[in-house]
Amino acid sequence: MKRRLLMAASAEEYAAFEERVRRTVYMDNLSPQVTENVLKAALDQFVNVVNVQFIPNYINPQSLPRAALVEMETLNQASAIIAEMADSPFMVLGMPRPVRARTAEVEMFDSRPKKPGRKITYKWLDPEDPDFEVARKIKVLTRKHASETEFLLNQHQLKEEENLANQQLETLKAHYKKYELIDAVLSDNTAKKLADRYRIPLSDA
């Protein structure tokens, strides 16, 4: 009886995990400039975001986040945001790259619980194994793709996005200075004096 209770609890835990997976959206093509707060702010206008988990890019030595698992409050919200991004480009931080979205999969979660009744086995391939040469070629190809990706990111994409982020920051600072100037003019009665001087109603000044 005790063994059955343990198995039932494990099944319930896995069922709850699968339900969370269905509410989660996998988003990629994200800029390295995008943070958790930025992504939440961009999505909160459409859905209620419960959790954001960035997936590190292990290909790049800087381990920049290029994708994220975004958990929504409901399954309908997850479906809605996927449909929204499929219909029109969705930009975050104004970066020159539309974010892509699709349904998350169980294998994307590092912290996924063990599936009841499932056994995973692994082994080291011996050089004499028929699959050894295939595995070696895949390893070499993966390293080649990693080098090419790193080169492209460093030479163009990352530099372009960093420049754009800096421009947006400077624009934000300039707008804030204008706000401070207007606030100061209103606070020290300069606006009222100018309105009186040029005989302009203050409401129109």
Side-chain angles (χ1 to χ4, degrees):
M1 175 65 83
K2 184 176 181 181
R3 184 178 180 182
R4 288 181 180 177
L5 289 176
L6 289 174
M7 290 179 64
S10 177
E12 290 176 1
E13 178 186 5
Y14 197 81
F17 166 71
E18 287 184 314
E19 196 275 333
R20 180 162 66 92
V21 172
R22 287 191 288 270
R23 296 198 317 267
T24 302
V25 176
Y26 171 79
M27 295 184 180
D28 69 344
N29 212 29
L30 290 167
S31 165
Q33 308 295 331
V34 174
T35 64
E36 178 179 347
N37 289 336
V38 167
L39 189 56
K40 279 186 175 180
L43 295 173
D44 276 343
Q45 56 185 316
F46 305 108
V47 296
N48 296 325
V49 178
V50 175
N51 183 53
V52 175
Q53 178 186 348
F54 282 107
I55 301 176
N57 178 15
Y58 295 107
I59 293 179
N60 190 285
Q62 296 176 336
S63 194
L64 296 172
R66 312 298 297 177
L69 294 170
V70 185
E71 182 183 350
M72 310 301 175
E73 193 173 58
T74 66
L75 174 60
N76 288 339
Q77 290 182 0
S79 301
I81 200 66
I82 292 174
E84 179 69 25
M85 291 188 184
D87 291 340
S88 57
F90 187 79
M91 314 297 250
V92 178
L93 263 182
M95 292 301 174
R97 59 163 78 202
V99 180
R100 298 175 299 201
R102 64 184 178 91
T103 305
E105 299 177 9
V106 170
E107 291 74 14
M108 295 176 178
F109 294 76
D110 289 338
S111 58
R112 62 183 180 274
K114 181 180 178 182
K115 189 173 183 178
R118 183 181 182 185
K119 293 183 179 180
I120 300 177
T121 59
Y122 61 95
K123 66 176 181 178
W124 292 103
L125 285 178
D126 188 271
E128 303 300 325
D129 193 295
D131 293 329
F132 181 83
E133 185 60 23
V134 176
R136 189 191 67 80
K137 288 181 179 180
I138 292 176
K139 183 177 181 180
V140 172
L141 186 61
T142 300
R143 288 179 176 176
K144 179 183 178 182
H145 288 172
S147 299
E148 292 173 349
T149 300
E150 181 183 355
F151 176 80
L152 291 174
L153 287 173
N154 290 335
Q155 293 297 316
H156 177 68
Q157 203 166 41
L158 287 181
K159 185 176 181 180
E160 180 182 355
E161 292 181 3
E162 287 174 2
N163 290 338
L164 181 56
N166 291 333
Q167 290 175 11
Q168 291 177 336
L169 180 61
E170 292 302 318
T171 301
L172 181 62
K173 289 180 179 178
H175 288 328
Y176 187 72
K177 287 182 179 180
K178 291 178 183 178
Y179 166 78
E180 288 184 320
L181 178 61
I182 294 173
D183 187 60
V185 168
L186 293 174
S187 298
D188 62 6
N189 288 326
T190 299
K192 185 176 184 306
K193 293 177 182 178
L194 289 173
D196 293 341
R197 173 69 177 79
Y198 293 101
R199 298 178 182 179
I200 301 175
L202 187 59
S203 59
D204 298 332

